[in-house]
């Protein structure tokens, strides 16, 4: 029986996707629930799995990099076929001896270990370069292939340049050849569907909205004291670290209640107000910056928010963010401080009307009651659409966040 493998519906308004990579080849016998391919849409990556056991045949024109329509048939699965004789190694097969250069007592890794569970980034390089993962020695955990392993295994990969001879080299020693010039050494890599969509959205925000950024700074001292005092008990009770983002999400929700225009956006000639609070948290992934949302953040406790942030970060790291995670946001937060940024002007996550930028916490001398004190300070930046939000509202909104974070007891009691 031939079973069609079709491009699944992966989100509202998405009509096409790009085949990022195939994890199996035509003629491979696959097991039920094994991942067959990775689809890239303009919002997220989606894994397509086999619904039954069978032999895979990829349709012509559906190779990695092809753009396909939702619902299109990209391959077939012959569920009556059996695995080729000898395809699977006998269970009692004697393991191969470790190579001579292996440390004494080190067991040789089976070839399959290096190719099992390839990450999306490794998969993409393997498919693009036509490499055989079973022929590459993996240096990752349990013998898995890393990105560096497959890059070094590419045909024509250049060995590391020889080091210059030390100053104390004996007289008359042959001179080492000069390093070859790399002028003109470049390559063109097609933008992924997600990267193209990120570029389009950022440019749309700049071309459409009247962007303006206002700044303030917040003393993080009380939040840091509270976190230091209760972080161990918090982790023990809820199974998640007590971070700083949770306090800012709580503060943002309270501020949005006082300034509803910041939680709205322009829809044609109307202003669309939202009576719910879906807070986007910018997450850096291998495929670029994504902004999945904490839905109904106003209904969550501080622990619930921290758990949601942890789960979204894990999904971003593992390439599991879905279109549903990305849709429906009403306001966004981006934290450049985790990368060391001291100050920046974030760009709107269009069509939203505002985004809050958090930055590095840095000790600075501050005037407190006529005396100079060293305080842990953070710059805040609010970029907003001036077409819908007036300067007074934007400044007052940011001041409200500052006041709440500097008085965390009031924030948690919601008074």
């Amino acid at each position: 029986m031939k079973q069609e493998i079709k491009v699944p519906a992966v989100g509202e308004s998405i009509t096409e996707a790009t085949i990022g990579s195939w994890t199996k080849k035509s003629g491979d016998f696959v097991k039920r629930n094994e991942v067959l391919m990775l689809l890239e849409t303009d919002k997220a990556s989606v894994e397509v799995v086999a619904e039954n056991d069978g032999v895979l045949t990829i349709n012509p024109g559906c190779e990695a990099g092809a753009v396909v329509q939702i619902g299109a048939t990209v391959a077939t699965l012959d569920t009556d076929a059996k695995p080729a004789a000898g395809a699977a190694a006998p269970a009692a097969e004697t393991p191969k001896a470790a190579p001579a250069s292996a440390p004494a007592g080190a067991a040789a890794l089976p070839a399959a270990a290096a190719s099992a569970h390839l990450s999306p980034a490794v998969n993409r390089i393997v498919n693009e370069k036509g490499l055989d993962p079973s022929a590459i020695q993996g240096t990752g955990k349990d013998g898995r292939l890393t990105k560096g392993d497959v890059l070094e295994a590419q045909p024509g990969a250049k060995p590391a340049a020889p080091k210059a001879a030390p100053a104390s080299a004996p007289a008359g020693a042959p001179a080492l050849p000069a390093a070859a010039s790399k002028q003109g050494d470049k390559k063109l890599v097609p933008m992924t569907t997600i990267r193209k969509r990120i570029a389009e959205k950022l440019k749309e925000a700049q071309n459409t909205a009247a962007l303006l950024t206002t700044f303030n700074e917040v003393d993080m001292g009380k939040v840091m004291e509270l976190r230091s005092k209760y972080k161990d008990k918090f982790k023990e009770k809820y199974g998640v670290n007590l971070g700083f983002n949770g306090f800012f999400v709580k503060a943002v929700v309270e501020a949005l209640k006082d300034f509803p225009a910041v939680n709205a956006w322009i829809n044609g000639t109307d202003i669309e107000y939202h009576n719910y609070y879906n807070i986007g948290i910018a997450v850096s992934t291998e495929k670029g910056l994504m902004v999945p949302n904490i839905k109904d953040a106003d209904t969550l406790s501080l622990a619930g928010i921290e758990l949601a942030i942890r789960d979204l970060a894990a999904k971003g790291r593992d390439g599991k963010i879905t279109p549903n995670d990305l849709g429906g946001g009403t306001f966004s937060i981006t934290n450049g401080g985790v990368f060391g940024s001291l100050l920046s002007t974030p760009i709107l996550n269009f069509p939203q009307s505002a985004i809050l930028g958090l930055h590095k916490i840095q000790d600075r001398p501050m005037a407190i009651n006529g005396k100079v004190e060293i305080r842990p300070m953070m710059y805040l930046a609010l970029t907003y659409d001036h077409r819908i939000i007036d300067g007074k509202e934007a400044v007052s909104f940011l001041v409200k966040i500052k006041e709440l974070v500097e008085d965390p007891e009031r924030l948690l009691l919601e008074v």
Side-chain angles (χ1 to χ4, degrees):
M1 176 181 175
K2 295 290 182 71
Q3 184 180 70
E4 293 183 335
I5 298 172
K6 297 186 176 183
V7 179
V10 289
E12 185 179 353
S13 78
I14 296 177
T15 60
E16 64 180 21
T18 301
I19 299 177
S21 61
W22 286 94
T23 59
K24 303 292 182 180
K25 303 186 296 291
S26 284
D28 283 354
F29 182 82
V30 299
K31 302 287 287 183
R32 183 183 179 187
N33 292 330
E34 277 193 305
V35 176
L36 300 178
M37 67 175 175
L38 186 71
L39 282 176
E40 294 182 350
T41 73
D42 60 2
K43 292 185 177 179
S45 297
V46 179
E47 291 179 342
V48 177
V49 301
E51 296 182 0
N52 293 288
D53 295 358
V55 173
L56 176 70
T57 300
I58 300 172
N59 290 352
C62 296
E63 295 79 16
V67 177
V68 290
Q69 299 297 309
I70 300 301
T73 300
V74 294
T76 57
L77 199 63
D78 186 351
T79 58
D80 295 327
K82 304 297 180 184
E93 182 181 357
T94 304
K96 296 180 181 179
S101 59
L109 292 168
S115 58
H117 308 296
L118 300 183
S119 71
V122 172
N123 247 328
R124 185 163 58 251
I125 297 172
V126 165
N127 281 282
E128 287 176 354
K129 305 301 180 183
L131 303 176
D132 179 6
S134 64
I136 305 172
Q137 181 66 40
T139 61
K141 184 179 179 182
D142 298 327
R144 295 180 183 177
L145 294 183
T146 66
K147 189 174 180 181
D149 295 334
V150 293
L151 287 174
E152 289 180 4
Q154 292 184 56
K158 298 178 181 178
K163 294 182 179 179
S168 59
L176 292 174
S181 171
K182 293 186 177 180
Q183 292 297 315
D185 185 3
K186 60 185 178 181
K187 63 178 180 178
L188 294 178
V189 179
M191 293 175 70
T192 64
T193 303
I194 292 175
R195 173 55 62 186
K196 285 188 286 187
R197 183 56 180 154
I198 290 172
E200 290 168 2
K201 287 192 69 175
L202 293 178
K203 195 58 183 172
E204 183 181 9
Q206 286 188 320
N207 291 343
T208 304
L211 299 182
L212 192 63
T213 303
T214 185
F215 302 94
N216 213 314
E217 58 185 348
V218 58
D219 187 333
M220 297 293 292
K222 287 189 176 181
V223 166
M224 294 174 72
E225 290 173 9
L226 192 66
R227 180 175 177 270
S228 178
K229 183 176 181 180
Y230 292 108
K231 64 179 181 180
D232 292 336
K233 291 182 178 178
F234 190 90
K235 176 69 177 291
E236 181 181 344
K237 182 172 183 177
Y238 298 109
V240 65
N241 292 323
L242 177 59
F244 297 116
N245 283 345
F247 289 96
F248 280 101
V249 171
K250 292 284 287 183
V252 160
V253 168
E254 293 305 309
L256 289 175
K257 291 176 182 178
D258 288 350
F259 301 94
V262 185
N263 200 45
W265 60 60
I266 292 177
N267 184 355
T269 58
D270 299 322
I271 296 177
E272 182 178 311
Y273 289 92
H274 307 106
N275 297 319
Y276 54 91
Y277 305 91
N278 293 347
I279 309 302
I281 302 293
V283 175
S284 180
T285 73
E286 283 188 350
K287 297 184 179 297
L289 190 69
M290 295 185 180
V291 191
N293 298 292
I294 302 173
K295 303 293 175 61
D296 296 314
D298 57 314
T299 66
L300 300 177
S301 65
L302 182 62
I305 291 171
E306 289 290 358
L307 286 165
I309 293 173
R310 181 198 65 183
D311 292 345
L312 292 176
K315 292 174 78 172
R317 184 174 59 250
D318 298 337
K320 304 290 187 182
I321 291 178
T322 67
N324 183 59
D325 294 324
L326 297 170
T330 60
F331 182 92
S332 295
I333 299 175
T334 180
N335 189 350
V338 297
F339 303 111
S341 172
L342 186 61
L343 190 61
S344 66
T345 55
I347 300 178
L348 293 185
N349 184 20
F350 203 74
Q352 295 172 22
S353 294
I355 182 171
L356 176 67
L358 309 181
H359 299 92
K360 178 182 178 182
I361 300 172
Q362 187 175 62
D363 285 345
R364 293 203 300 273
M366 303 296 294
I368 309 292
N369 296 324
K371 296 181 179 179
V372 175
E373 294 184 19
I374 304 300
R375 303 296 302 167
M377 305 299 295
M378 176 196 288
Y379 287 121
L380 304 179
L382 180 75
T383 296
Y384 60 98
D385 188 346
H386 210 346
R387 297 177 303 163
I388 180 175
I389 303 170
D390 292 331
K392 178 182 177 181
E393 285 180 298
V395 171
S396 300
F397 174 83
L398 200 54
V399 168
K400 176 77 171 181
I401 292 174
K402 168 185 168 68
E403 292 173 348
L404 289 172
V405 174
E406 288 185 341
D407 191 356
E409 292 89 351
R410 174 187 172 193
L411 171 63
L412 298 177
L413 293 173
E414 300 180 3
V415 294

